[in-house]
Each structure stands twice: as structure tokens, then as C-alpha cells.
Amino acid sequence: MRKWQHLLALSLALVLLLSGCGAGGSAEPADTTQPEATTEEEATVSLAAPLPDDPYQAVEYNLYPGPEGGYVGDVMPFVTSDGTLELYYLYDTSHNGQGYHPIYKYSTQKLYGYEDHGMVLNYGQGSDPDPALGTGSVMQDANGLYHLFYTGHNDTGNGGRGKECAMHATSTDGENWVKDPEPLFFAPEGYSKDDFRDPEVFWVEEEGCYWLLMAARNDELSGVVLKYTSNDLVNWELVGPMFAPMAQYMCECPDLFQIGDKWYLTYSWDCVTYYAVSDSIYGPFVPPRDNILDGKGLTEGAGFIFYAGKTAQIGDHIYLCAWIGQAGLSSDSGIYQWAGNVMNHEIYQLEDGKLGVKAPEVFNDYFTVDKPINAAAVIGDVQIDGNKVALSSEADAFALADLGTRPATMTLECDVTMEQDGCVGFAFGGSENDPTWTAMALDARKDALHFEGYQISDLRTMEPGAITKFDFDRSYTHHVKLVCENEIVVLYVDGLKAHGSRITHSTNGAHIGLFVDGGNATFSNITMKLPA
């Protein structure tokens, strides 16, 4: 049982309540015959939200869609001539049979309000090369014909040729697809016949031909990205390894794109999406020291916070399209299973050539209604001045301000000034039904962003289960943006890193708060926006 659940039961037996909390106020015992709290645990139990609960109702997933009765697996983005983003994806369920992962499709012109097109390509029969489908890519040739390259998977091994192969389908409208009866090719000699997948196809103008990137495995090189070329999209010639970091078992879902004078290669393994950089389309591609833009699980079984990212460019904006995993066996644990909901980040080039990540700017067209900031002190030294909240606490305690019931979907943006070794962030809880508070932390003590269901008082003693590494030494003031839709909460910091989470403790009427753990922090220029 989590500590906050245990403390909830204990709180029913306590009569020490906080009352009369205002700006800079402090809590006094309601019954002075009771002993004052002498430990932080007792103080935590006595927390009470001074703001009343507002009505709460979950919303449809407009930003982070997922199919009814299933989950979004690896996505294959395609941008039409009118700027519509089409997300083909592997449809996953909790009851996959002998055949699984048909390809479904969403489309959107705004990265919200998706249209569900349903299934566009089904898996084959048990005797076919593709009773299970794997990731690939979609493109349109010069004559307007659509091409879907995908992975065929058959556990019987296709008569010794291998479990996995590259396959091809065509369409005149992007909705009705016709499969080629035979695979394009299987793994070449020297590479695993069973780990060979995720064809990514695109036209290379300077060479006057198509390239196909394939995730493969060699016993000596480990996971590699192989390059093939073709003039007709049917006959393919192997060039050889394009990227071999000798670090991952596989380099799944490879994608290649250019920003400015740099080329970037994204690939996925270890439950995360990585990237590498080159000055040339031909390489060599070198992974930066910190080449993960969203969270990574640290404990065994944790992962799939943001996986299988592939890019789509609409105008001047480049999006890294992927999925956030479904919740694991325990809510708010930071442990996520394969497949879940669509999640798109906007990426751009930093001055040093690395990639930064931020909330898609187009979200500003969705969240247009200002929600007034109404803050109140809960515990510790809290000073409130309009949309600025300053908090201070002793080294072994925390301070907390309440902003009221968290709307089901919202953005919150602010500037956070914190100490060099500070731990600050956003808290969720504090309702009449559940007075406990859990914390999403900007944690300079651990050089990480993280959330995994811990109470604020546990942050000093519990190790994170999933984190996004972050260098807090760049500045002591950070620009922060939260994007929330139901239990999905995404934290963006300084346009550098993101940390996606599923926080059930932030829903069903829970409040959102601001906290500092053992120090001082100021949240200024706070704005909260809702959809119209």
C-alpha cells in the first residue's frame, strides 16, 4: 500500500485541522488539548485544502486520443498536401489473438480534435508473412500514389526465411489499401532473421532515388539501422549499416530529418526515443550525451513514457509523434505498459545543435479561456500576490499553496525561481474526498523531473521510478508549462525537456497546488487556460 493511502486512513482519526489559512497564514490546532504535530508525517496528515471543491467532469481525449476498446501503438505520421496530419498506428488490445496489430488511422489539422478513420489495413492469415503487423511509414510518390511500407511478422519463421520482413501496400486515396502478395525482402546474410523491422521510406533529391531505413540486428554491432536504395519502390538494394551505436539491442522505428544544417536520426529502445546528430545526411551520426527528450524508467519494468517517436513537419513546425504507455499494474507508479494514447511534442534546434522540446504551439489555439488564479496557503510560509506565489519552509519540512480543483483539461504556465539544490513543483490532491497531496517535482537534488505517486514528504527518502534528466545549473529561474487532459499530465521545462505522466491522483476533483520542499521558491506570472 502506498504511504498516501495509509495516511488517508490515519487522517480520519485526527482532529487537528487547518483553519483560517490565508496569504502568509499558518495553521493552528482546532483543539488545543491535542498535542501539536511533532513529526513531518503527522503534519502531512493534517493537511486540509482551504479552497472548496469545484465540480469535476472528465473530457474526451482531444489532445491525446486513444481508440475505444484498444490502445495506440507505434505511429506512422504522414502530412498531406493541405497540411493535415495523418497518424497511422498499430492498434493494440489487451486480448490480442493469433493475428494482431492491424493498422488504424487518425487525422487532424490542429493536433487536437482528431478524426478516427478506423482500420485501414488488416493483418494476414496464419500462412501469410503478416499475421501480425509492425511499424513502417507512409509516403506519396510523384504520381500521387500512396505507399505504405510496414513490417510483416510471423512466428512460424516463413519457411526459414525469418520471422520479420519488409512489406508494401498501395492506395489511391490513403483509405483503401492493396497489399503486395509477396514481401519486399527479408534480413540479409549476417543479420538476425527475427529482428528486422520498421521500414522508413523517403525520397532523397540529391541522389535521385528513394532511401529505406530498416531496424536490424547484428551480433557484433548489436542494433543497427540499415540503408537500402531504390528507383521504383519495389526493387531495393542494400547499401549497408547507416548507424551502429553499439549500445542498444535494436534501433527501432528509425526516422531521418533535417533542421538547418544538421541531420537528426531518431530511434527507439529501452522504452524511450533516442536521437543522434550529423552534419551530413550520410553521417556519421553521433548520439549527444543526453539524447532523451522525455522520461525514462529507472526501475525494472518501468518504461514506455514516450516511445517510437517519428517526425512530421507542418509548415515551420516539426512534431515528434509517438505514444504514452497505458498505466501499469499500479496507478501513478511511473510504470507504463506498451501502447496507450497518442502524444505529440514539438521539437526544434537549439543553439548548440541539440534538440529542444516544447508543447505544440498550436495548443494555444485550443486553450484560449483564462481562468483566474485563486491561491490559498495550506502549510508553511506562503506569500500570495495576485499571480505570484512565494513559498518558504524549513530544511526538513515543506510549504504548499492550493490553486483549487484541477480542471479536467487545462494548461498552467509560470516562471519558477528555485534554489541551487531545490526541490519544487506541482502537487495534486487536497480535496474533501482525498486530502493527501502527491508531487510532480523539478528536483535539482536528483537533476531530474519526475512523478510517481509519492507524497511531498516522501521526496527526500524515496527514489524516483521514472525521470527525465535535467540540468538545473543552466539557470535558477525556469519557464514551466503543464498540459493536462484527464489523467495525462505533461510537464515542459525551458523548451528543453518534457516529462509525460499519467496521474490519476490529479483527477476526479483533486486540487492542483504549488510546493517547495525544504527551501524557498517563487512561482510568478502564473496563468491557467481552458478550452473555449
Side-chain angles (χ1 to χ4, degrees):
M1 178 180 289
R2 293 193 174 278
K3 185 174 181 179
W4 65 263
Q5 294 172 311
H6 180 64
L7 294 179
L8 177 59
L10 289 177
S11 65
L12 298 177
L14 296 178
V15 297
L16 182 60
L17 299 175
L18 292 176
S19 61
C21 292
S26 60
E28 294 294 333
D31 182 355
T32 56
T33 63
Q34 297 294 321
E36 294 186 1
T38 57
T39 68
E40 184 177 28
E41 178 171 307
E42 290 169 339
T44 303
V45 174
S46 69
L47 292 183
L51 295 179
D53 292 349
D54 290 332
Y56 179 91
Q57 184 174 358
V59 297
E60 293 185 7
Y61 290 94
N62 284 306
L63 308 178
Y64 309 112
E68 185 176 355
Y71 306 100
V72 173
D74 298 352
V75 300
M76 294 155 267
F78 173 73
V79 179
T80 66
S81 58
D82 68 351
T84 298
L85 173 62
E86 298 185 335
L87 289 179
Y88 296 77
Y89 68 92
L90 303 182
Y91 178 88
D92 186 50
T93 73
S94 58
H95 51 275
N96 291 330
Q98 182 178 2
Y100 55 95
H101 289 168
I103 295 176
Y104 280 50
K105 185 172 81 171
Y106 284 120
S107 66
T108 179
Q109 292 189 321
K110 288 285 192 178
L111 270 73
Y112 55 82
Y114 288 76
E115 179 181 352
D116 187 350
H117 296 253
M119 184 175 67
V120 296
L121 191 71
N122 202 359
Y123 48 76
Q125 302 298 312
S127 59
D128 295 329
D130 63 348
L133 305 187
T135 318
S137 58
V138 178
M139 60 159 294
Q140 193 174 18
D141 66 23
N143 297 318
L145 186 66
Y146 294 88
H147 298 262
L148 171 55
F149 296 87
Y150 66 99
T151 305
H153 181 97
N154 191 321
D155 283 327
T156 65
N158 290 296
R161 293 183 294 175
K163 293 182 180 180
E164 295 188 328
C165 58
M167 300 196 70
H168 179 221
T170 56
S171 172
T172 58
D173 59 6
E175 300 289 337
N176 302 284
W177 294 85
V178 178
K179 295 181 183 180
D180 288 355
E182 291 295 325
L184 292 174
F185 49 82
F186 287 82
E189 191 68 29
Y191 291 86
S192 168
K193 295 181 179 181
D194 299 337
D195 290 306
F196 187 69
R197 50 187 175 268
D198 307 339
E200 174 68 22
V201 179
F202 49 92
W203 174 257
V204 179
E205 186 65 36
E206 52 264 46
E207 289 204 347
C209 68
Y210 297 97
W211 284 17
L212 183 152
L213 305 184
M214 199 77 174
R217 175 170 173 78
N218 176 278
D219 286 341
E220 293 183 3
L221 298 175
S222 296
V224 305
V225 176
L226 292 179
K227 184 177 82 173
Y228 291 77
T229 60
S230 173
N231 293 315
D232 59 9
L233 295 172
V234 176
N235 301 289
W236 293 92
E237 179 180 353
L238 174 63
V239 177
M242 181 179 180
F243 179 60
M246 302 184 71
Q248 283 79 36
Y249 180 89
M250 285 287 285
C251 298
E252 290 188 324
C253 306
D255 186 29
L256 183 65
F257 59 98
Q258 184 180 19
I259 304 179
D261 59 354
K262 298 288 186 182
W263 287 86
Y264 299 87
L265 178 69
T266 57
Y267 56 101
S268 295
W269 195 251
D270 303 320
C271 302
V272 298
T273 298
Y274 296 100
Y275 75 94
V277 189
S278 176
D279 293 327
S280 166
I281 190 174
Y282 301 101
F285 287 88
V286 178
R289 181 179 177 185
D290 183 5
N291 65 337
I292 300 174
L293 298 174
D294 201 339
K296 177 179 177 62
L298 296 181
T299 59
E300 184 177 354
F304 295 124
I305 295 174
F306 183 81
Y307 195 71
K310 304 184 80 168
T311 55
Q313 182 166 356
I314 303 176
D316 296 329
H317 301 274
I318 298 177
Y319 304 104
L320 190 58
C321 307
W323 48 266
I324 179 172
Q326 57 186 292
L329 299 178
S330 177
S331 296
D332 295 358
S333 63
I335 299 175
Y336 304 104
Q337 297 174 332
W338 196 90
N341 291 62
V342 167
M343 180 169 286
N344 301 315
H345 296 318
E346 185 166 345
I347 57 174
Y348 65 102
Q349 188 180 72
L350 301 174
E351 290 184 0
D352 60 4
K354 294 181 180 180
L355 292 177
V357 61
K358 59 184 179 179
E361 289 186 13
V362 72
F363 283 4
N364 295 333
D365 297 334
Y366 181 67
F367 295 101
T368 58
V369 178
D370 288 305
K371 186 178 188 300
I373 301 301
N374 181 22
V378 177
I379 192 170
D381 184 357
V382 179
Q383 304 293 328
I384 300 168
D385 182 11
N387 64 348
K388 178 180 178 181
V389 179
L391 304 102
S392 180
S393 70
E394 299 296 330
D396 59 349
F398 64 89
L400 174 66
D402 181 19
L403 300 182
T405 300
R406 201 214 90 183
T409 183
M410 54 161 278
T411 61
L412 189 153
E413 202 161 354
C414 63
D415 296 309
V416 180
T417 302
M418 55 189 290
E419 295 175 315
Q420 184 175 7
D421 59 348
C423 180
V424 309
F426 303 93
F428 303 100
S431 67
E432 292 182 7
N433 291 331
D434 186 352
T436 59
W437 292 87
T438 58
M440 171 174 265
L442 287 75
D443 192 345
R445 298 183 299 223
K446 295 182 172 66
D447 290 321
L449 317 173
H450 58 89
F451 176 89
E452 43 285 303
Y454 299 145
Q455 272 205 135
I456 301 170
S457 57
D458 287 338
L459 290 175
R460 273 172 261 116
T461 58
M462 303 293 287
E463 288 300 317
I467 68 169
T468 300
K469 293 181 180 179
F470 193 86
D471 181 7
F472 286 94
D473 290 337
R474 291 171 178 259
S475 174
Y476 298 133
T477 298
H478 305 280
H479 188 73
V480 173
K481 186 168 188 175
L482 277 182
V483 180
C484 306
E485 187 172 63
N486 297 324
E487 86 289 355
I488 296 177
V489 179
V490 189
L491 172 67
Y492 296 93
V493 182
D494 292 342
L496 297 174
K497 292 294 189 77
H499 188 73
S501 296
R502 291 185 186 269
I503 307 178
T504 58
H505 200 243
S506 73
T507 63
N508 299 320
H511 292 213
I512 181 170
L514 312 173
F515 79 89
V516 62
D517 183 33
N520 304 287
T522 300
F523 295 77
S524 56
N525 304 312
I526 305 170
T527 61
M528 189 180 297
K529 290 184 177 291
L530 310 177

